[in-house]
Amino acid sequence: MLQVKHLTMTHTKDLRTLIHDLNFTLNTGDKMAIIGNEGNGKSTLLKWIMADDTIEDYIQVEGELVNQFSHVEYLPQFLPDKDSRMSLEEYFFGADAVEALDYTELYNIASQLAFDPDRLTSTQILANLSGGERIKVQLIKILAKHPDLLLLDEPSNDLDLDAIYWLEHFIRSSSLTILFISHDEALLKQTASRILHIELLRHKTIPVTTVANLDYTTYVQLRNEKIVTQTQIANKQREEHDKKLEKHRRIESSVHDAQNKISRQNPAAARLLKKKMHAVKSMEKRFEKEKDKFEDIPIQEDPILIKFSGTEHLANGKTILTLDNYTVSIDNILLAQSINLLMRGPQKIGIVGKNGVGKSTFLKQLWNSLKNRTDINVGYMPQNYQSQFELASSPIDFLSTTGDAEETTQIMTYLGSMRFTADEMKHPINELSGGQQAKLFLLKMDLNGDNVLLLDEPTRNFSPLSQPELRKSFATFKGAIITISHDRQFLKEVCDKVFELTPNGLIETIIN
């Protein structure tokens, strides 16, 4: 059992409360998913449970943790720097790893995840693996240590579809206790038996936490039904109150007029009117007390407000890309060949494929070949956000082109619409969450008027409750999109065609 008691987390730089008075118990066998908007402390919560002292640089914590599990393992959202510099052989067989690992299980899990077991003794550096492969090797290692509690931060990020299906089955069928963060709606629907929802609501300074002993689908359904019902009741109460209050005001006005007109020679009538006005005033106080018992109007998390309103016009049928026997390679190593593709505006094309086949390299090659075109405006969201950021700069710096006051005002307005606080707009980018960093790319594309978007896993860091709005924004985008994604709902709702990248070219596929 793990208990969190009266946990409050405050950001020390802007004194913003991330989590307020959180209480929950995690029992043996639970599969609890943590959901919520970007930058609201989900990853920090896992780090606190792991006693990661790096959070002390920016978080003040009050609360108590009781952990009765004997062996906790943690999958971070990003591979730690010290691990990224290791070779696979060092990572699995170095001095720190030898005593803890069950090597039979190590090779078994590697095979299940389609990660060649022979590569476990490779001298390849982890930083040079694909994003999905980095997730796989971390999963292989932590599961081979036989933990009884798993903390997973976005475990499906960058995994190929086969690995995601494996992960879903593992979480659902495992006897382990698992506390995990995910933005993948399909994964949440398939795996979560309990929900911890952290949300910062409009016009509220203190976040709200909900712990529900429900699967994800039921939680969302009941939450939406409650919001609808509560809104109807609240609106009806206020409508009826307004009608009664209007009638009351007419009576009060009538009595007031009568008092003004009453003759001084008629004191008895004046006393009656005074008594009636006293009754009217008493009724007004009762109306005010009624309001205290009204149902609250539900306040929800703000959705992502990205409309791509600045998109430059892209003519229908305009040729965006013509690939004929195209190849993908990195460091003179051939990853894929015989790639043929004709893309015209405003098509939306999805790319899937096994981890390590070269999808991100493919997208980056396309970016390098298209970015200098003058007849289209191309925006690029990489898998590795840091490759496009000056991490010490602020969001305002990243989005600025001229730096003048009018532009800065517009940028701050845009950032505000994407739930950045005034302080976060000036924070160094390296202090922002993955979801907040992803928002910066979308805002940059909108501000630039980009009409061709190259997107590498664009939905992976956004709240699952925001994703329907995000999918709608991409589906109605008036330009062209080439996107790598393993988000099945996104591929089905946004993409006109989906291709699997293989070592021997692109194969059109259907997402179930």
Side-chain angles (χ1 to χ4, degrees), residues 102-310:
D102 176 340
Y103 288 100
T104 300
E105 189 71 359
L106 188 76
Y107 284 98
N108 178 39
I109 297 168
S111 297
Q112 291 179 33
L113 281 169
F115 190 87
D116 184 357
D118 290 339
R119 294 180 65 192
L120 299 180
T121 55
S122 165
T123 58
Q124 185 175 12
I125 303 301
L126 267 66
N128 295 332
L129 299 176
S130 72
E133 288 177 318
R134 288 195 291 269
I135 297 292
K136 285 182 178 180
V137 298
Q138 291 176 89
L139 283 171
I140 291 166
K141 185 173 181 178
I142 64 177
L143 293 179
K145 294 182 179 181
H146 294 298
D148 55 358
L149 172 61
L150 277 179
L151 308 180
L152 307 176
D153 195 345
E154 299 290 357
S156 64
N157 269 6
D158 305 321
L159 290 180
D160 57 48
L161 287 175
D162 287 343
I164 290 174
Y165 290 132
W166 178 89
L167 181 65
E168 285 181 354
H169 175 74
F170 171 79
I171 294 176
R172 191 170 56 244
S173 62
S174 173
S175 61
L176 296 179
T177 306
I178 303 176
L179 178 63
F180 66 104
I181 299 168
S182 181
H183 293 135
D184 185 327
E185 286 180 274
L187 180 79
L188 289 166
K189 290 175 182 177
Q190 291 294 323
T191 60
S193 60
R194 299 180 67 202
I195 300 296
L196 169 55
H197 188 183
I198 304 170
E199 52 186 335
L200 182 60
L201 305 176
R202 288 195 301 271
H203 315 307
K204 297 281 187 178
T205 57
I206 301 298
V208 175
T209 53
T210 304
V211 179
N213 296 322
L214 300 167
D215 63 84
Y216 179 76
T217 300
T218 304
Y219 172 72
V220 173
Q221 179 183 339
L222 293 180
R223 180 177 184 269
N224 290 339
E225 289 175 357
K226 180 181 177 181
I227 288 171
V228 170
T229 301
Q230 190 176 339
T231 301
Q232 290 173 342
I233 293 171
N235 288 338
K236 186 171 181 61
Q237 286 174 332
R238 284 158 178 77
E239 181 181 339
E240 291 176 351
H241 179 266
D242 289 344
K243 288 180 180 178
K244 288 194 291 185
L245 191 59
E246 180 61 31
K247 181 178 179 181
H248 172 77
R249 284 169 179 161
R250 288 198 298 269
I251 294 172
E252 182 180 16
S253 177
S254 174
V255 174
H256 183 71
D257 288 344
Q259 284 180 315
N260 289 335
K261 295 175 182 176
I262 192 72
S263 169
R264 292 183 179 180
Q265 283 72 37
N266 192 355
R271 285 194 297 272
L272 286 173
L273 286 174
K274 184 177 181 181
K275 190 174 182 180
K276 190 172 184 178
M277 179 59 80
H278 180 73
V280 168
K281 292 294 184 182
S282 296
M283 181 65 71
E284 185 175 344
K285 291 179 181 178
R286 286 199 293 272
F287 283 154
E288 287 300 317
K289 289 181 180 179
E290 278 183 9
K291 290 170 65 176
D292 296 336
K293 299 178 182 179
F294 283 179
E295 192 78 24
D296 289 334
I297 296 177
I299 302 173
Q300 301 180 62
E301 287 178 312
D302 289 324
I304 292 173
L305 298 176
I306 186 73
K307 302 299 183 184
F308 296 112
S309 54

Side-chain angles (χ1 to χ4, degrees), residues 283-341:
M283 181 65 71
E284 185 175 344
K285 291 179 181 178
R286 286 199 293 272
F287 283 154
E288 287 300 317
K289 289 181 180 179
E290 278 183 9
K291 290 170 65 176
D292 296 336
K293 299 178 182 179
F294 283 179
E295 192 78 24
D296 289 334
I297 296 177
I299 302 173
Q300 301 180 62
E301 287 178 312
D302 289 324
I304 292 173
L305 298 176
I306 186 73
K307 302 299 183 184
F308 296 112
S309 54
T311 304
E312 294 287 337
H313 177 70
L314 183 67
N316 288 346
K318 179 177 179 59
T319 300
I320 305 299
L321 198 62
T322 305
L323 303 180
D324 185 15
N325 204 28
Y326 188 81
T327 61
V328 177
S329 60
I330 184 170
D331 297 330
N332 297 319
I333 300 172
L334 181 65
L335 300 176
Q337 60 185 349
S338 304
I339 297 172
N340 300 296
L341 180 65

Side-chain angles (χ1 to χ4, degrees), residues 30 108 129 160 184 191 271 365 371 444 478 510-511:
D30 278 349
N108 178 39
L129 299 176
D160 57 48
D184 185 327
T191 60
R271 285 194 297 272
Q365 285 185 193
K371 64 183 180 181
K444 186 84 165 177
K478 298 184 183 301
I510 296 175
I511 302 298

